Amino acid sequence: EAAMLVLIQSINPMTETWRCLRSVETITEEAAIELADYRGDFLNLHGVTTLSPKAAKALAPYHGRLILDALENLPPRVAKQLIKCKGELSLPKLAKPTPEVCEILASCSGPLQLSGLTELESVDLASKLVASTSESDWMLNFDGLTSISLPIATALASSHTTLSFAGLTAISEKQAKALARCNGGLSLDGLTQL
């Protein structure tokens, strides 16, 4: 832990715009406090597979894009802390959040990216993901989804950016009509039948 704190404190915010820690699987509350002070645009914690509620709370003040791309399981207590992030929260490996976690994530205070979803059943969460896009975002990736309901398709169609659904192989006529209302682009590369 002491070595990690030295490394974190050595980050030069004047020359580094992002920091990536690949092999760190868990971080302490103390290390998270130091990381939250980092002034760069991106903080990518590639290796973090578990996060305590205290460490999540300590990371929340970080102002840039917080990427936790090894975190596959998100307990509700951790989710409740992460949604307080000041910047964007990116959880690309979160595939099947529980209904309770979906409800929590839907109330995230900042932008939210969940590009690894394989299941999306919460209309509120779908609406939050669409609302998290900005004019600079060119795509919302839902390539892990193999099916979507009509209410989810309708919620996602309010997007002003391109929606990508490479995992969908078939959709109904009603789903197609709902998705056709998308104000951005629409990519259905996996579609084999309508």
Side-chain angles (χ1 to χ4, degrees):
E1 180 183 326
M4 185 184 345
L5 290 175
V6 169
L7 287 172
I8 292 167
Q9 292 166 348
S10 73
I11 297 170
N12 183 344
M14 303 306 284
T15 60
E16 295 184 66
T17 59
W18 65 277
R19 175 57 63 151
C20 177
L21 298 173
R22 290 190 185 277
S23 59
V24 177
E25 293 180 3
T26 188
I27 58 174
T28 63
E29 179 183 7
E30 294 76 20
I33 290 168
E34 293 292 331
L35 286 167
D37 282 341
Y38 176 54
R39 300 285 180 236
D41 296 331
F42 297 90
L43 182 55
N44 195 336
L45 302 176
H46 274 300
V48 174
T49 56
T50 59
L51 197 60
S52 72
K54 286 182 178 182
K57 182 179 182 178
L59 284 171
Y62 178 63
H63 76 282
R65 184 176 188 197
L66 176 60
I67 306 166
L68 294 162
D69 60 1
L71 201 60
E72 296 178 6
N73 183 27
L74 188 61
R77 290 180 53 214
V78 174
K80 285 178 184 177
Q81 298 306 318
L82 286 178
I83 63 166
K84 299 173 187 173
C85 280
K86 301 291 183 212
E88 179 180 326
L89 175 61
S90 180
L91 301 164
K93 289 280 171 79
L94 188 61
K96 295 180 181 182
T98 65
E100 182 181 4
V101 169
C102 287
E103 185 178 323
I104 293 166
L105 290 174
S107 64
C108 188
S109 62
L112 177 66
Q113 293 291 324
L114 301 173
S115 59
L117 289 177
T118 58
E119 204 173 85
L120 180 57
E121 297 175 2
S122 167
V123 173
D124 289 341
L125 183 55
S127 297
K128 172 61 183 176
L129 292 169
V130 168
S132 291
T133 60
S134 68
E135 290 182 19
S136 63
D137 294 325
W138 67 277
M139 184 179 296
L140 254 177
N141 181 335
F142 295 102
D143 290 344
L145 297 180
T146 56
S147 65
I148 57 171
S149 67
L150 181 57
I152 296 295
T154 302
L156 293 176
S158 65
S159 177
H160 293 283
T161 190
T162 298
L163 297 174
S164 178
F165 297 98
L168 293 180
T169 57
I171 56 174
S172 70
E173 182 180 346
K174 287 181 180 180
Q175 290 168 324
K177 285 180 180 179
L179 289 173
R181 292 187 192 110
C182 180
N183 294 317
L186 185 61
S187 175
L188 296 162
D189 289 345
L191 206 61
T192 58
Q193 57 184 338
L194 282 172

